[in-house]
Amino acid sequence: MADRRKFVKLSFLTSAALFAGKKVFAATPNLDPGPFPDIKDQPIVISTWDFGKAANAEAWKTLEKGGRALDAVEAGVKIPEADPTNQSVGLGGRPDRDGRVTLDACIMDENSKCGSVACMEHIVHAISVARLVMEKTPHVMLVGDGALQFALEQGFKKENLLTPKSENEWKDWLKTNKYKPVKNIENMLPGGEHNHDTIGMVAMDSKGQMSGACTTSGMAYKMHGRVGDSPIIGAGLYVDNEIGAATSTGVGEEVIRIVGSHLVVELMRQGHSPEDACKAAVMRIVARNPDAAKDLQVGFLALNKKGEYGAYALQKGFSYSVKSGTTEEVFHSKYYYQ
Ligand code: SD4
């Protein structure tokens, strides 16, 4: 009993500390936070990593014409999907431990409509298949052979996504790791920084409508059939047109456990800035499992309805790209493990 009282007191104090000095939006179920009259920058598109800059530039072509955020994010993430030198997205992605390139992608619009494909092989533009799942089926998610079958029915071309470079690296990996998947295969940057490559992109168009897209070949040398956070609505991506949108990169298992992107959006709903919301989500991963978290990378990126953006990561090395009428820049995210 004493323990319970202590717990209740503690939770109260934690919440009080959390909200001190913050504007708190209406909580569920009274969801409407009201209009955001003070939009800072609109339209705007933000995406994970520095290669997001080229993707943003493509998305911008739609946004600057007054086009829809949904069309912008789809067009934007198709750039790294088609780039064979990006080894974590689409064509050229690193394969699973069986040498098969399996793609995960999802998309979400301003009306909370969403579509997703997971563990899909042979189709470069997984994001466009995800969009058609959203628009042409009564479902949200198609996986594996079913996703491929649907894509082929929709006229997508079957292709070999395994480039010679990714194939050779996988064969080298097999020699040393002997088919044993690990959690955190990455390109290590000089200095030992963690570097993943999934693209998550969120945008707000000139009408103030928000959408997001996320696409990846997932963790390299994963078990065949493994699905990460990226195609899971709420984990790798979440859009709430009243509040904002968030996306993630890094070790998907950790993001799924905390339903990370949804958590970030809910924290923004409670009044946190995008960066603070991303930080709180990262801190939740740390709190749950500090021993594991210190060797992993996870990064969150968020945009709110005011056009404010921010990011936070577990480790050094997470960058994100921003494009608006006033800004075109790559930023380095703050991070927890110094
Ligand atoms: C996954 N989140 O499959 C993805 C991987 C990733 O940058 O983000 N890599 O878990």
Side-chain angles (χ1 to χ4, degrees):
M1 190 62 188
D3 269 3
R4 193 180 138 68
R5 241 184 263 129
K6 215 157 105 194
F7 172 77
V8 171
K9 194 171 155 206
L10 220 132
S11 333
F12 173 75
L13 288 175
T14 315
S15 318
L18 204 65
F19 296 132
K22 311 259 180 198
K23 183 178 151 206
V24 178
F25 294 140
T28 313
N30 178 16
L31 293 172
D32 188 359
F36 288 82
D38 47 349
I39 291 177
K40 214 175 120 210
D41 220 351
Q42 183 194 341
I44 182 168
V45 55
I46 64 174
S47 56
T48 53
W49 305 110
D50 49 0
F51 65 85
K53 197 172 171 196
N56 287 353
E58 188 64 27
W60 188 252
K61 291 180 190 165
T62 301
L63 293 174
E64 73 177 342
K65 287 191 301 222
R68 189 178 172 199
L70 183 71
D71 296 325
V73 295
E74 181 190 0
V77 303
K78 283 171 77 171
I79 297 297
E81 278 186 340
D83 178 359
T85 66
N86 184 322
Q87 290 183 283
S88 286
V89 183
L91 177 66
R94 293 196 180 85
D96 64 19
R97 66 177 183 175
D98 295 347
R100 297 161 76 160
V101 181
T102 65
L103 304 182
D104 291 344
C106 74
I107 194 159
M108 189 162 188
D109 78 3
E110 70 276 11
N111 301 310
S112 297
K113 280 170 52 192
C114 44
S116 155
V117 290
C119 201
M120 183 180 70
E121 294 180 76
H122 304 303
I123 307 290
V124 174
H125 291 302
I127 198 66
S128 300
V129 184
R131 180 165 178 178
L132 291 180
V133 172
M134 170 174 92
E135 290 177 343
K136 297 208 166 166
T137 81
H139 307 305
V140 166
M141 192 165 192
L142 292 178
V143 306
D145 288 347
L148 175 60
Q149 182 186 333
F150 172 71
L152 296 175
E153 282 165 14
Q154 294 299 319
F156 287 82
K157 202 168 107 219
K158 192 169 176 175
E159 288 180 59
N160 175 20
L161 304 183
L162 187 62
T163 54
K165 184 173 193 302
S166 289
E167 185 172 7
N168 290 336
E169 287 178 7
W170 162 66
K171 285 182 176 156
D172 283 346
W173 175 85
L174 273 182
K175 278 184 221 151
T176 46
N177 285 270
K178 306 197 167 35
Y179 200 62
K180 202 167 148 257
V182 296
K183 215 172 175 186
N184 201 23
I185 290 278
E186 300 162 338
N187 303 320
M188 292 302 272
L189 296 173
E193 292 176 22
H194 297 245
N195 181 31
H196 291 259
D197 292 322
T198 293
I199 186 151
M201 174 182 278
V202 297
M204 179 161 55
D205 62 31
S206 54
K207 297 186 184 71
Q209 308 280 38
M210 302 186 95
S211 289
C214 185
T215 177
T216 187
S217 53
M219 299 303 291
Y221 319 138
K222 58 196 174 185
M223 291 173 71
H224 182 61
R226 180 267 188 185
V227 170
D229 57 323
S230 307
I232 299 184
I233 297 295
L237 175 74
Y238 197 70
V239 178
D240 182 326
N241 203 43
E242 290 176 340
I243 303 299
T247 187
S248 64
T249 182
V251 178
E253 281 75 3
E254 302 305 319
V255 178
I256 293 170
R257 285 189 185 106
I258 62 157
V259 200
S261 292
H262 184 261
L263 174 62
V264 170
V265 171
E266 289 307 301
L267 288 162
M268 291 195 291
R269 188 193 305 282
Q270 291 167 6
H272 293 275
S273 70
E275 183 182 308
D276 284 354
C278 292
K279 183 174 181 182
V282 164
M283 296 312 295
R284 191 167 294 186
I285 293 173
V286 174
R288 292 284 153 91
N289 197 347
D291 287 343
K294 67 182 181 346
D295 296 323
L296 304 174
Q297 177 63 304
V298 169
F300 290 104
L301 175 64
L303 174 69
N304 71 14
K305 260 317 244 205
K306 294 182 200 167
E308 298 166 335
Y309 50 83
Y312 203 82
L314 274 172
Q315 317 285 345
K316 189 175 182 182
F318 175 41
S319 58
Y320 61 99
S321 304
V322 176
K323 172 81 185 122
S324 72
T326 57
T327 312
E328 180 164 15
E329 221 172 314
V330 177
F331 295 97
H332 293 281
S333 161
K334 291 187 190 157
Y335 53 96
Y336 178 68
Y337 288 107
Q338 298 297 323

